[in-house]
Amino acid sequence: MAAHEHPEAGDGGRGRRGSVLLVLVGLIVLLGAGGTVLALVRGGGVPDTATVPASAGLVPQGFLGDWETRVDGAGVRRLTLGQGRVGERVLSLVVDDAHRHCAFAAELVRPPDADGPLRVGAADVTSGACTAGAPSVLTLLPDGRLKREDTGGTESLIYQRAIEKP
């Protein structure tokens, strides 16, 4: 090969095309990885139903599970409490009535005492055209029901354990 010739000169340009293809594949991989990191940072990478093993979370056992209440003129509200740590989603709520279907999720804002109360942040809308909910305090009542009260004191609801359907 003469000193002024390029290595690709005799291969019909395949070396250059291969290099361009390699760079394009690298860019695609990089963009995909960046999108994944962005989704995780924004909280979109973990589904609302994701749970943390019971031994790793802070939510007392008595709170865990599905709860339900009926609100006159406002349909049914189904609340699910899962395991988690501070800053993780532990509450999901579905509101169904004649006019809307909305879903919400809220994070644990601080460690509870052994028997509660459980404090969750503002309930973010995860589906539906609804307004985000206020932060809440959840308390287990002596009769086994669950009281959910917003921290502003404007709404208080009593939930019962949801009956599992066969």
Side-chain angles (χ1 to χ4, degrees), residues 59-61 63 112-116:
V59 178
Q61 186 68 31
F63 286 89
D113 295 332
D115 58 352

Side-chain angles (χ1 to χ4, degrees), residues 37-95:
V37 169
L38 183 61
L40 289 172
V41 167
R42 289 187 173 171
V46 179
D48 295 338
T49 57
T51 58
V52 172
S55 62
L58 298 173
V59 178
Q61 186 68 31
F63 286 89
L64 300 175
D66 298 322
W67 302 84
E68 187 173 275
T69 192
R70 294 190 181 280
V71 181
D72 291 338
V76 177
R77 295 187 185 190
R78 291 179 195 88
L79 184 143
T80 300
L81 290 168
Q83 199 49 269
R85 297 180 195 94
V86 172
E88 295 177 340
R89 288 182 176 174
V90 296
L91 179 145
S92 63
L93 174 67
V94 174
V95 176

